[in-house]
Amino acid sequence: MLDTPGVTYAAHMSTGTSIVLGTCHHDCPDSCGWVVTVENGVATKMRGNPSHPYSRGELCPKVNRFLDRVYSPERILHPLKRVGAKGSGMFEQITWDEALSTIAARVHGAVAQHGPATVVPMSSAGNQSVLATVTIGERFFNRLGATTLTGSVCGAVAREGVSATYGNGNGIDPMDIRFSRLILLWGTNTKLTNRHLWPFIEEARSAGARVVVIDPIRTATAEDADWFVQPLPGTDAALALGMMHVLVRDGHVDRDYADRYTSGYEQLVERVAEWTPERAASVTGLAAGDIEELATEYGSTQPSVIRTLIGAEHREHGAMLFRTLACLPLLTGAWRYRGGGLTRSSSGWFGATIDREGLGALSSGTAAGTARRLLNTNHVGRALNDPQLDPPITVLFAWNGNPLATQPNSEAMRRGLERDDLFTVVHEQFLTDTARYADIVLPATTQIEQVDVVPAWGHLYLGANHAAIEPLGESVGNTELFRRLSRAMGFTEPELFATDDELIDQTLRHLSPERRTALDRDGYVRLDLPEELLPFAQGGFPTPSGKALLWSDALAARGEDPLPTYTPAAEGPQGDPALVSRYPLVLLTTKSHTRFLNTSYSHLPKHGPLEGGPFVEVHADDAAARGLVDGQTVRVWNDRGSITLPLRLSMSVRPGVVSVPFGWWGQHDPDGSLVNSLTNDALSDWGGGVAFHDTLVQVADVNVADAT
Ligand SMILES: Nc1nc2c(c(=O)[nH]1)N[C@H]1C(S)=C(S)[C@@H](COP(=O)(O)OP(=O)(O)OC[C@H]3O[C@@H](n4cnc5c(=O)[nH]c(N)nc54)[C@H](O)[C@@H]3O)O[C@H]1N2
Ligand SMILES: Nc1nc2c(c(=O)[nH]1)N[C@H]1C(S)=C(S)[C@@H](COP(=O)(O)OP(=O)(O)OC[C@H]3O[C@@H](n4cnc5c(=O)[nH]c(N)nc54)[C@H](O)[C@@H]3O)O[C@H]1N2
Ligand code: SF4
Ligand SMILES: [Mo]
């Protein structure tokens, strides 16, 4: 707990100085605790909460300047209605009454004509706090009976992949990485995307741990590793199978663990017999000797941990990739040791504390029990353009996200948003690429203007978020937005009008009174879990047999390979030869800037301009083969879209791979281009995610019309 003499603590006040505790809302594993100083109702300082056990007083280069975002002159502070063409960004201020009555009339009209499924609610990862994501919004669309979006742009594929092996997606406490002696950072750019974990990795390192980064890009994290392994993108399952071959062949398997706690070991042995290091090398582009060495080190070091996050899931076979990785610690028995096993997202551990389903449910809701139309969130762009879709989408609500810039195949989304017969409502802090296509824009508060409770996916601390200042202008939080919309629609169910305090009480009903007091007082509380969390040290996998599934009957029943396997992506270098001959380069569009959080900061003066601007990184061999030089303007294109960028010669990517940073807005580009114009919107194998990174492109001088 903070103890600063002479200031009032916790609640916000319009006069005097107060210090208010909060928690970062971003879709970031770190969920840092923060402290806001408020003087006479104005937030004057924002720092990391020094007593937070995980973030330990540090924020990041995105959120260090959060007050500039809050008080930005570009903030949307009043409702707006569109007065120019869709996308033109021409709006006029209106009252909340006019906005709400316009929306209610359009929604009632659309529902009368097409039924409630014509309404599509689209919320993404802008705020991952509980009140902001579930509660009133979900209740509102339940009441309406709107289309339900399934799948996810982030996380579900990795979770479902790991669950196919373990029964759930849980792993070790990420902070326990400090006890590890071999750390495989597998498809995660820790120093950029998960920076507060790095000190725990350094702690392990100073006790002798080795850090291996496995990534197709030489990232800042790879630069700091003890060993950087650079496979071709999307080939990790082959690497893992090759490693398992060596583990079995050389007797590195903990047979006692495998026999007691897994099923299908014999079938797995047969499968991996096919995966000699040479075969794995031919698929991954690695040297067979490196695969041998990695497997030997992994099989002979404990505790060993595999750390993954999201980047590697954005693939056609992303779930199978995660299922396959999850088999490795089952063979070595790494789960027995503190700091051993696998650590991905810790969000599953919050399930016992936060009942999301209960929070979004409507006990009396008329439409709640009726069947809802389901649509994958990654296919909203496709659905908006589908003339056969019945009923068509005629009303779109977008909040907590900038889908035009963050969804794959953004030109499909743009064509959809341009439709005259689509009525779009966007609730936002800024006039994003998506908001420019809205018919009505409603002003949204920032995290320091609202109260909430914030779970984490990179540690085990639940965060409190107290409101530090009053909402600016006429902005409202997500809960108040849906209370107002409910009233305007004439809905009367009391659950639609629950106050934030009531919602927080409901959210925290499983928390003991002592923990609740600690949460309010300190700004965080650890989940009620043992200090030494060893989830699978003695098996106990939540599968029907209690064993982990090296062989999965459930996958077999769904027509999937029951064993871990490698399948090349259709849109990949080992995929469709006709496509590869036209578009021979794999495009990665990962999170690359320290000052960006997805597309949330590129428009702010101390973020975008300091990162320079977007570019495409190309290996010297690929540039030379096309006669391209550093700094030249090139076109990057495929059948979905085309963008123009300066070329950067780079040794960070392998030949055959190019990379463009994700996070820039189209409206800052001379042609309005977005890198997601190029990305693949094929769904992943299971888990409902999408194959952003299985994207093939060609690169040429900007003046070459079409070199293919
Ligand atoms: N600074 C900053 N931090 C962020 C974000 C941000 O935008 N900026 N975004 C936040 C969000 S929403 C998320 S989900 C997390 C994501 O956190 P991460 O998953 O760590 O980040 P990504 O950039 O998506 O991907 C990580 C790495 O995966 C690699 N990768 C891609 N394909 C493959 C593959 O086939 N195999 C292997 N082995 N590696 C592969 C990429 O090259 C990349 O370096 O970061 C969060 N933190
Ligand atoms: N090419 C490519 N595409 C990607 C990725 C990638 O690595 N490469 N990453 C994917 C991943 S992992 C993710 S998570 C998604 C992220 O996709 P999005 O969730 O769309 O992420 P942001 O771009 O950060 O946009 C969030 C928006 O929410 C708004 N916002 C913040 N707080 C609130 C609030 O309380 N209320 C309301 N109404 N609005 C709020 C912000 O102003 C911001 O404009 O992008 C995905 N797209
Ligand atoms: S974006 Fe991530 S690292 Fe930055 S303050 Fe928020 S939770 Fe912490
Ligand atoms: Mo994400």
Side-chain angles (χ1 to χ4, degrees):
M1 171 185 170
L2 279 175
D3 186 11
T4 313
V7 294
T8 316
Y9 169 76
H12 75 78
M13 309 190 336
S14 51
T15 55
T17 299
S18 55
I19 286 192
V20 185
L21 297 177
T23 304
C24 184
H25 58 294
H26 279 305
D27 184 18
C28 169
D30 291 357
S31 294
C32 298
W34 67 41
V35 184
V36 186
T37 305
V38 184
E39 294 174 75
N40 301 321
V42 177
T44 52
K45 208 155 71 170
M46 188 163 159
R47 297 281 182 268
N49 179 350
S51 65
H52 194 283
Y54 173 78
S55 55
R56 305 198 273 201
E58 204 220 22
L59 296 175
C60 67
K62 296 139 311 200
V63 175
N64 274 336
R65 300 214 162 83
F66 197 72
L67 296 184
D68 289 353
R69 180 181 182 91
V70 173
Y71 294 113
S72 164
E74 314 269 295
R75 267 284 295 274
I76 298 169
L77 295 177
H78 305 281
L80 305 172
K81 88 170 170 200
R82 186 171 57 81
V83 292
K86 290 193 178 196
S88 67
M90 290 167 67
F91 290 92
E92 183 177 282
Q93 186 177 328
I94 54 171
T95 63
W96 263 100
D97 281 346
E98 183 183 345
L100 290 168
S101 56
T102 307
I103 296 167
R106 287 297 295 256
V107 174
H108 278 305
V111 170
Q113 193 180 349
H114 301 289
T118 194
V119 179
V120 168
M122 201 169 188
S123 161
S124 185
N127 188 330
Q128 59 176 3
S129 315
V130 177
L131 267 53
T133 47
V134 279
T135 69
I136 309 285
E138 213 155 291
R139 294 173 187 184
F140 175 81
F141 291 106
N142 262 325
R143 168 63 181 81
L144 197 59
T147 289
T148 299
L149 293 188
T150 61
S152 154
V153 79
C154 175
V157 175
R159 184 186 63 240
E160 292 304 313
V162 171
S163 301
T165 302
Y166 300 156
N168 69 19
N170 286 352
I172 65 164
D173 176 353
M175 283 166 66
D176 276 356
I177 210 162
R178 63 190 193 275
F179 298 110
S180 309
R181 289 300 167 263
L182 177 66
I183 300 170
L184 306 189
L185 301 176
W186 202 316
T188 180
N189 189 359
T190 314
K191 290 194 76 175
L192 186 93
T193 59
N194 184 197
R195 61 185 280 127
H196 294 91
L197 188 67
W198 193 255
F200 296 94
I201 293 174
E202 287 292 8
E203 197 181 323
R205 238 180 180 179
S206 51
R210 243 164 83 79
V211 176
V212 183
V213 166
I214 302 171
D215 197 305
I217 300 182
R218 181 182 290 274
T219 61
T221 313
E223 289 287 352
D224 259 11
D226 298 299
W227 186 15
F228 171 46
V229 177
Q230 191 172 23
L232 287 165
T235 62
D236 304 70
L239 172 58
L241 289 161
M243 287 172 68
M244 288 192 259
H245 175 99
V246 177
L247 294 176
V248 171
R249 185 196 67 195
D250 295 352
H252 290 305
V253 174
D254 178 341
R255 279 303 300 265
D256 180 62
Y257 189 92
D259 289 346
R260 280 175 199 248
Y261 306 132
T262 73
S263 60
Y265 179 70
E266 295 308 327
Q267 291 101 318
L268 181 85
V269 167
E270 254 177 65
R271 167 62 53 90
V272 302
E274 305 160 10
W275 279 96
T276 60
E278 290 70 28
R279 180 176 173 200
S282 73
V283 172
T284 57
L286 299 171
D290 284 346
I291 299 174
E292 296 260 1
E293 191 182 329
L294 183 59
T296 306
E297 193 169 340
Y298 182 68
S300 53
T301 316
Q302 292 300 359
S304 63
V305 70
I306 296 177
R307 170 61 170 174
T308 68
L309 281 181
I310 302 295
E313 82 163 34
H314 286 140
R315 310 206 149 272
E316 287 173 35
H317 302 287
M320 184 54 93
L321 159 56
F322 276 85
R323 156 165 174 57
T324 304
L325 290 191
C327 294
L328 281 163
L330 297 173
L331 296 193
T332 61
W335 288 111
R336 291 186 193 272
Y337 313 97
R338 189 167 188 193
L342 183 139
T343 178
R344 188 190 57 82
S345 163
S346 59
S347 64
W349 293 111
F350 286 77
T353 304
I354 296 167
D355 164 17
R356 286 178 176 265
E357 226 162 277
L359 283 166
L362 254 193
S363 53
S364 58
T366 42
T370 59
R372 307 267 298 271
R373 173 167 70 180
L374 305 181
L375 177 67
N376 189 291
T377 192
N378 297 294
H379 279 175
V380 171
R382 288 189 187 197
L384 284 169
N385 293 292
D386 179 359
Q388 311 298 328
L389 192 73
D390 182 24
I393 301 169
T394 62
V395 179
L396 182 70
F397 282 90
W399 75 106
N400 268 358
N402 182 11
L404 177 57
T406 60
Q407 290 278 311
N409 193 4
S410 45
E411 290 313 309
M413 175 72 77
R414 193 193 300 279
R415 286 192 298 277
L417 292 176
E418 275 167 354
R419 268 177 36 199
D420 278 338
D421 60 335
L422 177 73
F423 180 70
T424 304
V425 180
V426 173
H427 181 230
E428 249 302 351
Q429 298 160 358
F430 290 91
L431 205 56
T432 59
D433 287 340
T434 311
R436 286 167 87 94
Y437 286 82
D439 294 281
I440 302 280
V441 181
L442 298 170
T445 43
T446 68
Q447 187 77 340
I448 68 162
E449 296 154 69
Q450 58 207 18
V451 60
D452 219 317
V453 179
V454 192
W457 49 285
H459 56 75
L460 298 176
Y461 293 86
L462 180 65
N465 185 65
H466 301 291
I469 57 169
E470 296 290 345
L472 296 195
E474 293 183 282
S475 63
V476 300
N478 297 3
T479 49
E480 179 59 14
L481 167 73
F482 289 106
R483 284 190 283 262
R484 289 187 184 189
L485 286 169
S486 297
R487 202 168 293 116
M489 290 291 293
F491 297 160
T492 53
E493 288 74 2
E495 287 132 305
L496 295 168
F497 303 97
T499 65
D500 287 351
D501 285 345
E502 288 165 348
L503 292 168
I504 288 186
D505 286 345
Q506 189 180 347
T507 302
L508 300 178
R509 67 193 188 283
H510 302 305
L511 212 61
S512 67
E514 300 72 45
R515 287 193 128 70
R516 175 74 195 265
T517 305
L519 175 69
D520 288 338
R521 183 193 59 214
D522 303 339
Y524 59 84
V525 71
R526 193 173 188 273
L527 294 179
D528 192 3
L529 292 167
E531 194 48 45
E532 196 166 328
L533 186 70
L534 288 166
F536 305 129
Q538 278 139 11
F541 293 95
T543 57
S545 61
K547 293 185 171 194
L549 307 172
L550 298 172
W551 168 284
S552 164
D553 288 331
L555 286 181
R558 294 212 310 255
E560 305 274 352
D561 194 325
L563 287 166
T565 192
Y566 165 72
T567 313
E571 187 167 335
Q574 294 150 10
D576 176 6
L579 197 65
V580 178
S581 74
R582 291 168 63 211
Y583 303 120
L585 301 168
V586 181
L587 171 71
L588 295 176
T589 54
T590 56
K591 300 145 194 345
S592 313
H593 296 306
T594 53
R595 298 176 186 86
F596 285 14
L597 195 289
N598 302 322
T599 71
S600 283
Y601 288 93
S602 45
H603 61 293
L604 292 174
K606 290 184 181 143
H607 297 259
L610 298 184
E611 298 287 2
F615 50 83
V616 56
E617 284 185 278
V618 180
H619 189 274
D621 294 355
D622 289 322
R626 291 164 178 76
L628 302 173
V629 296
D630 193 50
Q632 135 173 35
T633 305
V634 295
R635 197 160 75 85
V636 185
W637 80 99
N638 59 21
D639 288 345
R640 285 181 289 268
S642 168
I643 68 175
T644 303
L645 294 162
L647 180 143
R648 253 193 212 181
L649 278 187
S650 166
M651 299 311 274
S652 299
V653 288
R654 297 178 54 126
V657 180
V658 298
S659 157
V660 177
F662 164 66
W664 296 93
W665 286 12
Q667 57 187 274
H668 296 131
D669 182 277
D671 309 324
S673 330
L674 285 159
V675 72
N676 271 327
S677 309
L678 303 169
T679 52
N680 187 355
D681 61 352
L683 296 185
S684 57
D685 38 4
W686 71 89
V690 77
F692 284 110
H693 297 326
D694 285 324
T695 292
L696 291 175
V697 295
Q698 180 57 292
V699 177
D701 181 274
V702 71
N703 297 314
V704 176
D706 189 341
T708 54

